[in-house]
Amino acid sequence: MNERTSRLGHRPAAPSADVPPFLTVHTTVVLLAALFIGCVGGGLTFLSGSPLAGAVLAGLTGAGASVPVLRSLIR
């Protein structure tokens, strides 16, 4: 049996070089930074005494508003 084949005779799938990544590094950094900003904003809103629903809404708003700004700042 060839070392490159499995017991059933099939070759394992090799990663293709022409498949683009799902997300670029720029998009990943922007989304992770927006997620961090949203979590901090929502957490601080919750700790200030607002209800949980209001804190979640504040976090989502902060994350959504920061994406265009971060996209233009991070290049």
Side-chain angles (χ1 to χ4, degrees):
M1 185 182 327
N2 189 352
E3 64 188 44
R4 302 186 92 188
T5 59
S6 67
R7 294 178 68 199
L8 298 176
H10 299 288
R11 289 188 177 175
S16 178
D18 37 318
V19 175
F22 182 66
L23 293 173
T24 63
V25 175
H26 178 260
T27 303
T28 305
V29 169
V30 167
L31 290 178
L32 284 175
L35 177 69
F36 179 74
I37 289 170
C39 287
V40 168
L44 289 176
T45 303
F46 180 72
L47 291 176
S48 71
S50 294
L52 181 62
V56 169
L57 189 59
L60 289 173
T61 303
S66 67
V67 168
V69 176
L70 289 169
R71 184 176 172 262
S72 65
L73 287 177
I74 300 173
R75 246 316 137 183

